[in-house]
Amino acid sequence: MERKLISARCGVINPLSIDDYIKTGGYVALRKALRMERIEILEEISDSKLRGRGGAGFLTSTKMMGLAKESGPMKYIVCNADEGEPGNFKDRFLIENDPHQIIEGMAIIAFATRANHGYIYVRGEYDHAIEVLQWTLLEARKHKFLGNNIMDSDFSFDIELRSGAGSYVCGEEFALIESIEGKPGRTRVKPPFPTSIGLFGKPTLIQNVETLVNIPAILTMGGKAYSKIGMPNCTGTKLISLSGNVKNKGVYEIPFGISIRKVIFELGGGIENNKKLKMVQLGGACGPFIPEYMLDMLIDYERFEEFESKTGAGAIIVVDDRFDLFDLMLRVVRFFEHESCGKCTPCREGHAQLVILLQKFIDKKASMKDLISIESLARVMHQTALCGLGQSSPTAIISTLRYFRDEYIDRCDIWTN
Amino acid sequence: MDLTQLLAQYPHEENRLIDLLLDIQKQKNNHFISEQEIQMVAKHIGVSEAKVCSVISFYTLLSFHPRGRYVIQICRDIPCHINHSASIVGTLEQLLGIQMGQTTQNGLFSLEYSSCLGHCDAPPSMRIDGRTYVHLTPDKVKAIISEYRGRTP
């Protein structure tokens, strides 16, 4: 069931050895790219129909074209390694096990879009990943895969490493840009998008770690061949971070189109300690909770879009029936209350109110009016928050109101106003 | 290292402010940024003290208040929670004689909650002084803490 396109080297090679990477086909795609016309590379990516793996699922080629069209002496490529979504650990897995792939992907994109400088922004808590990347950058420079005249071509590009300091919202594009600029990570109003006015006011392309490592794979096999893997409108493979009350927790690479049930029961070996599955949270804290009867749903961005949320980061958190839905939701909402940057009102005030309302349901002191309030507040936040954080954080509530409505009603005192 | 020496290693650029603050904290046993350090950093980078404060208050890993020699961060999110992180919190509180959010009287340990540490494949997890410990059990936590206690002269 697994199909290892981007994780084939993980656990096989020594991640700190550039020789191991080169021996297993590393930097061949970059060599190939440097001999291609820039537009050809963009066409290959476009043919592959690759979509961003950070959560939003935006077409990578559209973003790349956006940057390629911009003129000016400075253009940036940023690798978003600020993985902080609870339940996600696939970017850490990629960095710690096959870091050169990221450098190669960034260099290819930089060449294709005429960008001249790169940043990798890693969350501050990923101490080991930071050490691995520092070493990897040194090695890549020493072997002329970074720096001036890469592989003796006329293309020059280098990458700097930046560490976060404990802030989930910095995974959002503009918050990340603010953070690299040395400021609190508060988002900006869009448009303009980062590809026109981004880091230090210059055109900037931001891509997730997993998206970037797909680039060498696409150039090696060709965009058309890549697009045949997975689903028609959701191509390639996806790394799944499987966690919770499941036997075999870990990262699995599967082609799009495999059902969630198969991932949990075949790859994951089922539920631990013979318990019964109660629900699954998809994507991470900002994703929906779904009941057991929906597990045959296929892993496919088109299918996930139904939830109006960013379920695309690929986490599957399995929860058995010992746990209380409202206790878990309170944890989710408290997480976002803590991580909200405070810039826009729906997110800053909304989460505080959601905590109060959820507490009423936990204490079984909620009224039908509270049920209406929590539903409308969640919708308002989803529609009016400034960035992806506040827009997607109410998904847990919106989805449970749909699939576990009985549990809300059970906790309401219908005689109270 | 002396703060002046440390500052000399950093360019007068605002975009290095977060790195610089993290570095200062790392060098100190009590992992915080003092008022005097805020003044010196602001002067070095060329921004207002208020701006430096806004960065410290925004980021969880930066602190205005003295913390323990070893800051223990425990994940409080769902993947760890449903894998018994509460028993780890209980064990730590009992071992150290403090509550979450406090520092031991000898200044050796601080206990803090953290957002997901990204080790959900091996829960529950905690991070101490730049190292992450996974697959925790009460016994394992006891062994780790006594190892840290043994480190200090």
Side-chain angles (χ1 to χ4, degrees):
Chain A
M1 196 188 319
E2 279 193 279
R3 165 110 197 226
K4 293 192 175 179
L5 206 61
I6 54 171
S7 63
R9 289 190 197 89
C10 298
V12 178
I13 64 161
N14 171 5
L16 299 179
S17 159
I18 194 167
D19 291 335
D20 272 19
Y21 184 69
I22 293 169
K23 265 186 238 156
T24 48
Y27 289 114
V28 170
L30 176 60
R31 194 179 298 275
K32 184 176 173 186
L34 292 174
R35 293 191 188 128
M36 287 166 77
E37 291 295 323
R38 289 181 162 86
I39 188 72
E40 285 176 340
I41 301 172
L42 293 169
E43 276 164 3
E44 291 289 345
I45 309 292
S46 176
D47 286 344
S48 74
K49 300 192 211 163
L50 176 70
R51 294 169 69 162
R53 302 292 197 242
F58 206 70
L59 264 179
T60 306
S61 59
T62 312
K63 273 169 102 170
M64 279 178 70
M65 295 286 189
L67 187 77
K69 270 191 290 189
E70 295 289 331
S71 51
M74 272 320 273
K75 290 203 269 186
Y76 296 102
I77 305 285
V78 176
C79 167
N80 184 349
D82 190 46
E83 183 175 56
E85 182 79 50
N88 282 282
F89 43 95
K90 48 108 184 162
D91 293 341
R92 179 177 64 77
F93 174 81
L94 284 172
I95 297 169
E96 292 179 354
N97 290 294
D98 193 3
H100 280 285
Q101 266 192 121
I102 305 165
I103 313 287
E104 186 172 6
M106 285 178 80
I108 293 169
I109 291 195
F111 174 73
T113 57
R114 294 179 193 274
N116 25 27
H117 198 75
Y119 287 92
I120 301 179
Y121 184 91
V122 199
R123 69 181 298 206
E125 290 89 343
Y126 276 6
D127 310 276
H128 181 56
I130 291 172
E131 284 169 16
V132 170
L133 281 171
Q134 278 165 340
W135 172 255
T136 305
L137 289 172
L138 285 176
E139 288 279 283
R141 265 182 223 123
K142 212 162 79 187
H143 288 77
K144 300 204 84 179
F145 297 119
L146 281 180
N148 289 328
N149 304 100
I150 290 176
M151 297 166 104
D152 299 317
S153 67
D154 56 2
F155 168 60
S156 300
F157 174 71
D158 210 340
I159 300 173
E160 268 180 70
L161 190 65
R162 286 300 166 87
S163 150
S167 166
Y168 163 82
V169 73
C170 288
E172 194 276 335
E173 291 197 325
F174 270 125
L176 191 154
I177 285 173
E178 292 275 323
S179 187
I180 295 181
E181 291 179 355
K183 301 169 193 158
R186 295 203 175 89
T187 192
R188 300 176 192 165
V189 178
K190 296 176 210 178
F193 290 96
T195 42
S196 29
I197 301 176
L199 187 60
F200 306 119
K202 302 285 184 279
T204 305
L205 179 67
I206 303 172
Q207 294 288 2
N208 173 263
V209 174
E210 189 186 345
T211 318
L212 288 166
V213 304
N214 271 286
I215 303 292
I218 290 169
L219 280 205
T220 305
M221 71 194 298
K224 287 231 165 65
Y226 182 94
S227 73
K228 302 232 162 56
I229 304 168
M231 302 292 277
N233 289 313
C234 191
T235 61
T237 62
K238 182 82 199 76
L239 292 183
I240 301 293
S241 311
L242 184 62
S243 71
N245 304 126
V246 63
K247 276 183 199 150
N248 311 322
K249 305 170 186 62
V251 175
Y252 299 96
E253 184 177 358
I254 52 151
F256 278 103
I258 301 275
S259 76
I260 296 167
R261 191 183 301 278
K262 273 194 169 169
V263 172
I264 296 173
F265 289 93
E266 291 181 29
L267 293 174
I271 315 303
E272 274 177 321
N273 309 318
N274 296 318
K275 299 278 180 202
K276 204 167 157 277
L277 183 144
K278 176 169 182 177
M279 57 198 162
V280 167
Q281 194 175 23
L282 286 180
C286 70
F289 281 102
I290 59 166
E292 203 270 340
Y293 67 81
M294 286 181 72
L295 295 186
D296 293 313
M297 197 174 114
L298 303 184
I299 295 169
D300 178 347
Y301 284 156
E302 303 242 302
R303 190 74 180 77
F304 284 178
E305 270 154 21
E306 251 177 56
F307 299 107
E308 306 168 45
S309 78
K310 300 185 174 172
T311 45
I316 295 181
I317 308 170
V318 181
V319 184
D320 73 36
D321 62 1
R322 285 171 300 165
F323 297 97
D324 176 48
L325 174 64
F326 289 86
D327 178 47
L328 298 189
M329 277 199 298
L330 186 64
R331 232 159 250 279
V332 168
V333 175
R334 284 226 167 105
F335 168 79
F336 288 113
E337 186 190 24
H338 174 74
E339 299 294 349
S340 170
C341 83
K343 183 165 178 165
C344 76
T345 314
C347 182
R348 185 185 62 241
E349 305 299 330
H351 287 114
Q353 293 305 318
L354 285 179
V355 167
I356 294 171
L357 285 164
L358 276 177
Q359 196 62 54
K360 283 190 184 177
F361 283 93
I362 288 172
D363 300 338
K364 299 194 171 164
K365 284 181 181 154
S367 64
M368 290 308 273
K369 204 172 139 192
D370 292 321
L371 183 63
I372 296 165
S373 298
I374 202 166
E375 191 149 29
S376 70
L377 177 57
R379 290 251 160 243
V380 167
M381 287 169 68
H382 171 63
Q383 286 162 8
T384 59
L386 183 57
C387 82
L389 188 151
Q391 290 161 11
S392 58
S393 64
T395 308
I397 290 177
I398 294 171
S399 62
T400 51
L401 279 163
R402 198 192 295 175
Y403 305 119
F404 298 91
R405 200 171 186 89
D406 290 353
E407 297 207 21
Y408 282 86
I409 307 277
D410 281 350
R411 285 159 185 267
C412 278
D413 183 350
I414 51 168
W415 305 111
T416 326
N417 267 314
Chain B
M1 195 194 296
D2 175 43
L3 181 60
T4 336
Q5 278 175 297
L6 189 71
L7 287 174
Q9 295 174 9
Y10 282 83
H12 306 280
E13 287 171 19
E14 191 182 346
N15 73 74
R16 299 302 304 279
L17 177 59
I18 297 170
D19 288 343
L20 172 58
L21 292 171
L22 283 171
D23 208 357
I24 293 173
Q25 268 197 177
K26 210 170 164 184
Q27 309 281 342
K28 294 171 68 174
N29 275 343
N30 47 7
H31 305 295
F32 84 112
I33 314 280
S34 70
E35 228 175 287
Q36 195 204 352
E37 283 156 349
I38 292 171
Q39 288 168 4
M40 288 175 73
V41 166
K43 209 171 145 198
H44 179 82
I45 297 281
V47 294
S48 68
E49 288 167 32
K51 204 152 199 178
V52 178
C53 290
S54 76
V55 167
I56 299 172
S57 72
F58 186 86
Y59 292 98
T60 310
L61 298 184
L62 297 170
S63 174
F64 287 116
H65 309 290
R67 295 187 288 173
R69 169 75 188 86
Y70 302 112
V71 178
I72 306 175
Q73 292 179 295
I74 305 151
C75 171
R76 68 172 151 197
D77 289 313
I78 291 179
C80 276
H81 170 70
I82 61 179
N83 282 289
H84 317 292
S85 62
S87 72
I88 301 307
V89 173
T91 306
L92 281 165
E93 286 184 335
Q94 204 191 356
L95 269 177
L96 304 174
I98 52 170
Q99 302 285 304
M100 289 303 291
Q102 295 178 337
T103 300
T104 54
Q105 284 218 308
N106 61 5
L108 204 52
F109 296 101
S110 287
L111 272 183
E112 292 177 1
Y113 274 119
S114 161
S115 291
C116 179
L117 293 168
H119 288 264
C120 325
D121 51 342
S125 65
M126 67 177 178
R127 178 175 179 256
I128 308 177
D129 205 25
R131 232 191 112 176
T132 305
Y133 296 88
V134 296
H135 283 311
L136 295 175
T137 59
D139 283 343
K140 207 167 161 185
V141 169
K142 279 176 203 156
I144 293 166
I145 293 299
S146 61
E147 198 254 316
Y148 274 95
R149 277 184 171 142
R151 272 191 204 183
T152 6

